[in-house]
């Protein structure tokens, strides 16, 4: 084990954001392997080779680190989804991709590669800000696609836009939200296609 | 505390099914209050005033009692739903009621009155037979309503029936399945109406 050291941060060293990134990367690795709940900041400090005090210079609590990991993870999912959507101009196809890529990416980032399930559980239970703003951005993305499809004539315009968007968001929610997703593993293969077909039938002009 | 007794079951006493019902009723009460996971058959025996051996004459394990409680609970939910559906002849209205009454009854029976959440958790995790057959019956009920609406001309007939039924079942699932429902409390007021409207739009001929 390395000695716990407190690098002198007043001299020319790595920038603050680099140290923060380094801590987050090491913490992601550590939580993925040993779990979030049982790990303390001391455990984490020992594993990274930093002093606990040094970590506390950058993050006020374990939760603050957890929130950063969660935010990064959600950001990656969102980036994948936006990239997949940008590859097509057809609103119905955008909607299909939104559904399937959200499901695949969430499964992969929360359960397969990283096992960040416990962080997701805390995030959902304690209503972390990263999750709240992620959900708002997903709803906005959905509204934009719907708006586009209404303009192109692909989607009906009678139902109020926010009502349609909210209902579709609720249909997607079990495959977006890791707490629901963990009980939906049996359906992740078929659900995105079947549910987007249902949603598209509901949108037909 | 009562003495634990083993009533002589060979002489004229209550019929077996009455004793089983009595054990299940007492266990439902006990689990609702103290939780399912931590309670042992010994605790239960002590609380009811039966010997552990006597309980084992009727149920081979705590899980067997849990399964009976779960089956009863699901049966009550289903009975409420079928009663609500039977009160209307209009297939779209049947679908709306199916959605709202499943949500209300599941919330009430698993979370409010009885706090049988832990039993639901075991049932879902261990794939209990009662749950599997309940889900199959719910899907059948849905197919019957869809069939009826296709015959009456209320619903479109192009999409294969089993595809439509499965997709709608997936839309309903977060409000039927207690494990998903526990993470959907924020939406139980609005979701049944909004989602049944979406589903009905998807079914329009």
């Amino acid at each position: 084990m390395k000695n716990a050291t407190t690098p002198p941060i007043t001299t020319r060293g790595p920038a603050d954001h680099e140290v923060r990134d380094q801590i987050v990367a090491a913490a992601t690795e550590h939580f993925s392997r040993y779990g979030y709940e049982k790990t303390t900041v001391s455990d984490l400090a020992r594993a990274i080779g930093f002093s606990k005090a040094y970590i506390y210079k950058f993050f006020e609590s374990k939760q603050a680190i957890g929130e950063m990991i969660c935010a990064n993870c959600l950001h990656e999912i969102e980036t994948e989804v936006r990239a997949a959507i940008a590859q097509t101009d057809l609103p119905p196809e955008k909607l299909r991709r939104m559904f399937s890529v959200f499901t695949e990416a969430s499964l992969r980032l929360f359960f397969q590669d990283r096992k960040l399930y416990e962080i997701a559980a805390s995030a959902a239970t304690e209503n972390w800000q990263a999750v709240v703003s992620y959900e708002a951005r997903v709803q906005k993305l959905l509204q934009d696609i719907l708006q586009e499809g209404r303009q192109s004539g692909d989607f009906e315009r009678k139902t109020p836009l926010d009502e349609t968007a909210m209902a579709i968001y609720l249909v997607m929610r079990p495959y977006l939200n890791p707490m629901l997703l963990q009980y939906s593993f049996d359906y992740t293969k078929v659900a995105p296609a079947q549910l987007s077909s249902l949603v598209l039938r509901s949108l037909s002009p």
Side-chain angles (χ1 to χ4, degrees), chain A:
Chain A
M1 201 198 332
K2 290 185 225 171
N3 271 330
T5 54
T6 301
I9 58 169
T10 47
T11 65
R12 194 185 306 256
D16 275 14
H17 72 89
E18 287 172 348
V19 182
R20 289 175 67 90
D21 289 352
Q22 195 187 346
I23 293 172
V24 167
T28 305
E29 179 64 26
H30 194 78
F31 291 146
S32 292
R33 192 168 304 175
Y34 303 102
Y36 173 73
E37 281 307 325
K38 284 185 187 165
T39 303
T40 64
V41 173
S42 304
D43 297 334
L44 202 56
R46 213 174 303 123
I48 308 181
F50 284 169
S51 72
K52 198 170 142 186
Y54 187 61
I55 289 183
Y56 278 120
K57 276 192 207 292
F58 296 92
F59 292 97
E60 64 176 4
S61 61
K62 183 176 82 168
Q63 181 174 328
I65 304 174
E67 289 197 31
M68 186 64 84
I69 294 174
C70 181
N72 286 346
C73 193
L74 296 175
H75 179 74
E76 280 185 64
I77 294 171
E78 202 180 327
T79 305
E80 279 191 41
V81 171
R82 288 185 188 274
I85 289 173
Q87 280 166 9
T88 171
D89 289 330
L90 309 169
E93 182 58 23
K94 280 182 196 279
L95 211 54
R96 286 196 181 276
R97 290 187 188 189
M98 184 174 174
F99 224 125
S100 62
V101 181
F102 262 125
T103 306
E104 282 161 28
S106 305
L107 267 179
R108 183 159 27 81
L109 288 170
F110 277 107
F111 297 97
Q112 287 158 15
D113 290 358
R114 305 243 184 98
K115 304 191 174 56
L116 293 178
Y117 163 78
E118 282 186 302
I119 289 188
S122 295
T125 317
E126 295 153 18
N127 239 354
W128 289 359
Q129 187 50 44
V131 178
V132 174
S133 57
Y134 173 71
E135 289 177 348
R137 287 195 309 277
V138 172
Q139 289 176 28
K140 178 69 172 61
L141 178 59
L142 198 49
Q143 289 215 359
D144 291 346
I145 298 176
L146 290 172
Q147 193 70 272
E148 223 181 290
R150 285 176 176 216
Q151 275 154 13
S152 67
D154 286 303
F155 300 156
E156 60 100 357
R157 302 173 203 198
K158 281 172 296 178
T159 319
L161 183 70
D162 53 351
E163 191 186 317
T164 312
M166 187 59 192
I168 300 175
Y169 177 72
L170 288 174
V171 173
M172 289 188 172
R173 211 178 142 255
Y175 308 91
L176 282 171
N177 180 306
M179 304 309 289
L180 293 154
L181 187 55
Q182 67 177 318
Y183 296 110
S184 306
F185 290 161
D186 287 352
Y187 299 99
T188 50
K189 280 245 157 54
V190 297
Q194 294 195 337
L195 289 172
S196 26
S197 296
L198 181 147
V199 163
L200 290 173
R201 286 194 295 275
S202 81
L203 291 172
S204 74

